[in-house]
Amino acid sequence: MSSLQISGGSVRFVAGLNRTGCIRPIGSSLGFPLSRRRFSIGRPLLLRRCSSVSRESETDDIADAERDVSSSSSALGFQLLPPGDQKLFSTNTTEATTHQEEDTDAADDAEMADFGVPGNRAVAEEGAAAQVGYTSPKAEVINNLVFVTSEAAPYSKTGGLGDVCGSLPIALAGRGHRVMVISPRYLNGTSADKNYARAKDLGVRVTVHCFGASQEVSFYHEYRDGVDWVFIDHKSYHRPGNPYGDSKGAFGDNQFRFTLLCHAACEAPLVLPLGGFTYGEKSLFLVNDWHAGLVPILLAAKYRPYGVYKDARSILIIHNLAHQGVEPAATYSNLGLPSEWYGAVGWVFPTWARTHALDTGEAVNVLKGAIVTSDRIITVSQGYAWEITTVEGGYGLQDLLSSRKSVINGITNGINIDEWDPSKDEDIPFHYSVDDYSNKVKCKMALQKELGLPIRPDCPMIGFIGRLDYQKGIDLIQAAGHDLMVDDIQFVMLGSGDPKCESWMRSMEETYKDKFRGWVGFNVPISHRITAGCDILLMPSRFEPCGLNQLYAMRYGTIPVVHATGGLRDTVENFNPYAEGGAGSGTGWVFSPLSKDSMVSALRLAAATYREYRESWEGLMRRGMSRNYSWENAAVQYEQVFQWVFMDPPYIN
């Protein structure tokens, strides 16, 4: 099979598969090392400590897919920048070396395949779609699953983490597992408080010893969709803002709030008689990001030495490695851990990242401790599982993660196929499906009318939905804006974030009244109408652990043009018009390197295909709309990891 490659301003075809065509087990075997080495990481190369500056995340930002980089960080944040000056992006593609060159692309795909799970959609060929999409009604092995998370939709949500922890547990419960989700009971004095109205106080009180005092927490419970939703109640969760901060920045006591969550979560399976009996000691904890990262450390340090939870296991799910829960070393005593366990979370910043000459750089890193002590690690895409072991994507933890490569897997997130269904979506004016998508152009014309653009059904319409910040590649869009407006296209953007970007959107709309529209803010119905009405969805993200917008787009017959990173590379197959005897293959365009020129070339190629090769374009639409990205599909892959985690002994110091 050939694959289409975009480099600079040219297009070429290279022989060889762009995706692996077979299912491979992780590593050379199932991936269980003879000895489970856990040690401190080496010197981080691309890590800079900075003061915490946060903006309030939009609590209903469903389409954004990932959390705001600053909103959930602790008092110490990270910037993925080396010492010295660095350009924001490259526009000289002749000097750049693309990782989609024939030799490096094959090597990268082979490395990423090592993180695959049998049945992973990123590993299976399109021809196996029917098999990949098949899910048996019940799991072969039933587990007691305990999700620990800082947010879970619809109760609390700022991005992709809330989506995962609000949907995956339901899919697993539907397959027969007993599932509990533990998160804080946030009360912020808004209409969102009604989300907890059906949760009842269980009358159970637990005393948590941390931060030099005893804290009493209570538990609220709601049984919904086969899942036990448990909410930790404490006064520190009752304040205006989102789960991590407010308009003034991140909350200064986030370490306390999430330490409390972890201690209470460890007690919940032992003391809560849900449905008449507790979950018990043989539970499988699924801890999400640094906010729940103390759970595997507590299991190893405070419970197993006394014979409790000796049969329990823990899986760390990394949604975004940029957030690590880093605080000054002096705060270690607040975590409620034995003094001899400091090494698990101890962290030293490199010299260049310290704030002044007398700064020793010593800190505690909760996520590092979770990586050390968890029994297995899952990321939200296969590509991201590989990226976090590299200098560019490891945020200083790449050496530690590489040492645990044999227990890392990537599983692509699913989407809510009932909420995102063009055949019955209440937020779009016309409905269509893969069998009859003739009404999609009517959605486009309705969107043009709503936005005040000229109604031109044959004009390629490009959309962008997301946060306006550096991670999402908004600077590339700004740099390419005037070049793109020379072409016969229309461009629609929806998002909020950097005030300068918002001002730029307003300026572009004023300059190009017949071609550009920008919607500053976020609106869920509008995001659905843009997804349905546009022909192309642009996602030039610098890094994207999974990404959901490209999945929504393909389900709606909108063709994604994405940067080759993380989950975007996993889920979007590069278009090849010569494959399958000329019938074509692929679901979109994947460009690399991350530069203005390569992005513009990909967009122009997509627009030309839309205008001149309708048969190829309709093939792209059909293949994307036929893909299975349901949560039930992802649940089957999680179950394979559940089986692996109980084959290995739990972590004991």
Side-chain angles (χ1 to χ4, degrees):
M1 182 186 296
S2 302
S3 61
L4 179 65
Q5 306 293 329
I6 301 171
S7 180
S10 62
V11 181
R12 62 192 178 90
F13 293 91
V14 179
L17 286 170
N18 196 33
R19 294 288 184 271
T20 56
C22 61
I23 297 174
R24 297 176 53 189
I26 59 172
S28 58
S29 62
L30 282 180
F32 303 111
L34 295 177
S35 60
R36 306 182 68 192
R37 295 180 298 155
R38 291 172 164 90
F39 47 81
S40 298
I41 65 168
R43 178 187 178 93
L45 299 178
L46 291 174
L47 183 65
R48 173 172 295 170
R49 185 165 58 167
C50 62
S51 60
S52 175
V53 180
S54 171
R55 297 187 307 272
E56 182 178 3
S57 297
E58 307 224 9
T59 56
D60 60 346
D61 192 354
I62 292 179
D64 196 17
E66 304 297 342
R67 282 165 294 156
D68 191 330
V69 170
S70 60
S71 66
S72 62
S73 61
S74 56
L76 301 178
F78 300 107
Q79 295 176 357
L80 192 61
L81 295 172
D85 297 332
Q86 185 186 47
K87 293 182 180 180
L88 289 181
F89 56 86
S90 168
T91 57
N92 186 358
T93 58
T94 61
E95 298 178 0
T97 301
T98 173
H99 68 269
Q100 287 195 347
E101 294 287 347
E102 182 178 3
D103 51 351
T104 55
D105 184 66
D108 287 352
D109 284 343
E111 282 193 74
M112 285 189 286
D114 287 339
F115 297 101
V117 177
N120 195 319
R121 290 154 294 188
V123 178
E125 285 187 315
E126 183 183 344
Q131 294 179 349
V132 174
Y134 171 78
T135 56
S136 58
K138 296 295 179 182
E140 296 179 1
V141 179
I142 304 303
N143 296 287
N144 288 340
L145 306 177
V146 180
F147 283 78
V148 186
T149 176
S150 59
E151 55 181 275
Y155 306 100
S156 55
K157 171 180 158 48
T158 64
L161 173 61
D163 283 329
V164 173
C165 294
S167 300
L168 178 59
I170 296 174
L172 290 167
R175 292 182 55 78
H177 299 280
R178 191 181 185 203
V179 185
M180 178 197 306
V181 179
I182 303 175
S183 66
R185 181 173 177 258
Y186 300 110
L187 298 178
N188 55 21
T190 68
S191 59
D193 292 353
K194 69 178 183 294
N195 292 332
Y196 302 97
R198 293 182 298 274
K200 305 302 181 184
D201 189 347
L202 292 173
V204 177
R205 303 291 184 268
V206 168
T207 301
V208 173
H209 301 281
C210 63
F211 280 74
S214 298
Q215 305 289 335
E216 185 179 86
V217 299
S218 57
F219 299 88
Y220 281 70
H221 171 253
E222 178 185 357
Y223 184 77
R224 178 179 61 83
D225 293 331
V227 177
D228 291 303
W229 304 90
V230 174
F231 306 104
I232 309 300
D233 193 54
H234 186 268
K235 60 183 179 181
S236 64
Y237 303 130
H238 304 168
R239 62 181 64 165
N242 64 43
Y244 314 109
D246 54 22
S247 59
K248 298 179 181 179
F251 295 133
D253 61 346
N254 275 345
Q255 187 189 52
F256 168 74
R257 299 165 75 234
F258 296 120
T259 295
L260 207 62
L261 168 67
C262 294
H263 281 268
C266 289
E267 289 294 312
L270 303 175
V271 302
L272 300 183
L274 304 177
F277 58 98
T278 65
Y279 274 60
E281 295 185 29
K282 192 175 181 180
S283 294
L284 174 54
F285 289 86
L286 292 98
V287 300
N288 294 266
D289 279 351
W290 79 265
H291 319 94
L294 275 180
V295 169
I297 311 173
L298 289 170
L299 295 179
K302 293 194 68 176
Y303 289 91
R304 290 194 186 112
Y306 302 97
V308 182
Y309 281 133
K310 61 183 182 297
D311 294 323
R313 298 291 189 276
S314 62
I315 296 175
L316 170 65
I317 304 177
I318 299 177
H319 301 261
N320 196 330
L321 191 67
H323 311 294
Q324 299 181 7
V326 179
E327 297 284 356
T331 64
Y332 175 78
S333 59
N334 296 333
L335 302 179
L337 294 171
S339 58
E340 62 270 20
W341 277 80
Y342 176 81
V345 296
W347 174 269
V348 179
F349 284 95
T351 303
W352 61 264
R354 300 176 190 177
T355 55
H356 52 77
L358 299 180
D359 184 1
T360 63
E362 296 182 2
V364 294
N365 186 322
V366 174
L367 187 61
K368 177 217 168 185
I371 293 171
V372 168
T373 55
S374 59
D375 297 298
R376 291 197 75 89
I377 300 170
I378 293 176
T379 67
V380 291
S381 72
Q382 183 181 339
Y384 194 57
W386 169 73
E387 286 182 4
I388 63 175
T389 65
T390 67
V391 172
E392 294 81 5
Y395 286 89
L397 293 174
Q398 63 273 1
D399 292 336
L400 176 59
L401 287 161
S402 294
S403 74
R404 303 221 61 203
K405 184 183 291 188
S406 61
V407 296
I408 300 177
N409 297 103
I411 300 175
T412 305
N413 285 341
I415 62 174
N416 187 330
I417 59 177
D418 293 323
E419 178 183 357
W420 291 89
D421 184 350
S423 67
K424 58 181 180 181
D425 190 338
E426 296 180 355
D427 291 322
I428 63 177
F430 302 96
H431 296 146
Y432 57 95
S433 67
V434 66
D435 299 319
D436 180 7
Y437 41 80
S438 58
N439 277 345
K440 180 171 172 61
V441 69
K442 295 181 181 179
C443 291
K444 176 180 180 177
M445 296 169 66
L447 179 64
Q448 290 171 330
K449 181 178 180 180
E450 180 178 4
L451 297 177
L453 288 169
I455 299 177
R456 299 181 56 199
D458 295 329
C459 178
M461 194 174 200
I462 303 171
F464 171 89
I465 302 172
R467 209 168 50 244
L468 305 179
D469 67 9
Y470 181 78
Q471 178 204 335
K472 299 298 182 181
I474 188 64
D475 52 310
L476 267 73
I477 299 177
Q478 288 179 286
H482 296 292
D483 291 345
L484 289 173
M485 293 298 101
V486 174
D487 300 336
D488 185 22
I489 63 167
Q490 294 178 340
F491 203 128
V492 180
M493 296 182 65
L494 169 67
S496 64
D498 186 346
K500 293 182 180 179
C501 295
E502 295 176 355
S503 298
W504 172 83
M505 286 170 56
R506 296 186 181 97
S507 174
M508 287 288 289
E509 183 172 323
E510 183 67 25
T511 304
Y512 302 100
K513 296 181 179 180
D514 292 339
K515 290 189 172 185
F516 187 94
R517 287 293 182 272
W519 185 297
V520 176
F522 192 80
N523 182 292
V524 174
I526 286 292
S527 72
H528 282 244
R529 291 199 285 275
I530 291 176
T531 302
C534 285
D535 303 298
I536 300 166
L537 183 79
L538 176 62
M539 295 185 68
S541 303
R542 279 181 163 76
F543 70 92
E544 197 70 71
C546 178
L548 296 180
N549 285 344
Q550 80 279 11
L551 305 183
Y552 300 148
M554 289 187 287
R555 184 158 172 79
Y556 279 62
T558 301
I559 310 305
V561 175
V562 303
H563 174 226
T565 184
L568 301 181
R569 182 179 181 180
D570 282 1
T571 55
V572 180
E573 183 184 352
N574 218 1
F575 175 52
N576 177 4
Y578 300 131
E580 306 296 333
S585 67
T587 57
W589 278 269
V590 184
F591 67 86
S592 182
L594 183 65
S595 68
K596 183 190 80 170
D597 289 346
S598 61
M599 182 187 76
V600 171
S601 295
L603 286 172
R604 285 175 173 165
L605 183 59
T609 304
Y610 174 82
R611 290 192 192 93
E612 301 171 18
Y613 301 96
R614 291 301 302 177
E615 186 175 347
S616 294
W617 190 266
E618 291 176 1
L620 283 163
M621 292 174 60
R622 285 193 301 270
R623 288 188 291 273
M625 296 178 76
S626 300
R627 291 293 176 93
N628 182 352
Y629 288 108
S630 68
W631 276 112
E632 288 73 17
N633 199 7
V636 176
Q637 299 169 49
Y638 271 87
E639 288 173 349
Q640 176 63 77
V641 181
F642 297 165
Q643 294 183 34
W644 289 340
V645 75
F646 282 104
M647 293 180 182
D648 215 14
Y651 179 80
I652 300 175
N653 186 21

